[in-house]
Amino acid sequence: MAMEVDVFLDLLVIPIILSTLLSSHHYAKASNEIGKPLIAKTCTPTEFPDVCTSVLESDPRSSSANLAGLSGIGLEVTATKGNETAPVAYKLMNSAKDYAEWSIRSTCIQAFNINVYRVNGEGLKYFDAKKFDKAYEIVDIVNGELQYCSTLGIAELTESSTLLAKFTTDLKTILHQL
């Protein structure tokens, strides 16, 4: 009788162990996707997949990041690029020929300053606290400011503001995937 119970338990335990091993392998494979395949999968549903891919692949940390990591990198890159462009916008504002030109240019310096402050000060804190909806809201505000700046016709800022406007549009899609 004891032998029948042992055989029965062995036959019951083996499928459970195999099932667990196979399913954990499947989940491990899905959740451990990183690098270019994950970047491609993440950027494909965005509005500007080429911009998304280019920006994320330009950061070496992306090659070993998961989806949450890519989102965090995206927030940091947004803040960094805004920080790099803000001094250019500031110089342009100060070199304006008249009040109308100064006013237009000051709108863009405000957009880049808001970008850096909001993303660094609020967006990353929300992201780190896993409040992805709040981080999304910050990116949405920044995106609106950058889109507006890109329409003002300031040649020296058009490339930066357009790139950041497109990337933050994509970043909203990425954050929505979390």
Side-chain angles (χ1 to χ4, degrees):
M1 179 81 169
M3 188 169 182
E4 287 178 30
V5 172
D6 285 342
V7 171
F8 177 74
L9 285 176
D10 287 343
L11 291 176
L12 184 62
V13 170
I14 290 172
I16 292 171
I17 291 172
L18 284 175
S19 173
T20 303
L21 287 173
L22 291 174
S23 65
S24 62
H25 170 71
H26 171 72
Y27 290 122
K29 185 176 180 183
S31 65
N32 287 334
E33 188 173 33
I34 57 171
K36 286 189 178 195
L38 179 61
I39 293 170
K41 182 179 176 181
T42 302
C43 291
T44 296
T46 65
E47 191 172 335
F48 306 102
D50 293 344
V51 171
C52 177
T53 301
S54 172
V55 169
L56 289 177
E57 285 183 350
S58 72
D59 191 300
R61 298 173 298 165
S62 295
S63 65
S64 61
N66 60 16
L67 181 60
L70 289 178
S71 300
I73 290 167
L75 284 165
E76 291 173 6
V77 167
T78 298
T80 300
K81 291 196 178 294
N83 202 30
E84 291 169 355
T85 308
V88 174
Y90 183 75
K91 285 180 186 176
L92 288 169
M93 181 185 71
N94 284 335
S95 66
K97 297 174 193 152
D98 55 32
Y99 179 78
E101 187 175 81
W102 178 89
S103 179
I104 290 171
R105 291 179 178 189
S106 69
T107 300
C108 282
I109 184 65
Q110 218 174 359
F112 286 103
N113 282 337
I114 286 172
N115 173 9
V116 173
Y117 169 77
R118 290 230 165 158
V119 173
N120 271 338
E122 299 172 37
L124 285 167
K125 286 180 185 175
Y126 285 136
F127 180 80
D128 290 341
K130 300 195 183 327
K131 295 180 179 178
F132 303 126
D133 57 329
K134 295 289 189 187
Y136 177 96
E137 289 174 14
I138 297 300
V139 172
D140 190 41
I141 292 167
V142 167
N143 177 259
E145 293 286 330
L146 291 166
Q147 284 187 15
Y148 182 69
C149 179
S150 69
T151 66
L152 294 176
I154 303 170
E156 299 88 345
L157 296 178
T158 300
E159 185 179 333
S160 295
S161 58
T162 301
L163 173 73
L164 275 173
K166 286 180 177 181
F167 182 67
T168 52
T169 297
D170 293 344
L171 185 55
K172 291 187 321 180
T173 302
I174 295 169
L175 284 166
H176 193 68
Q177 293 177 36
L178 294 175

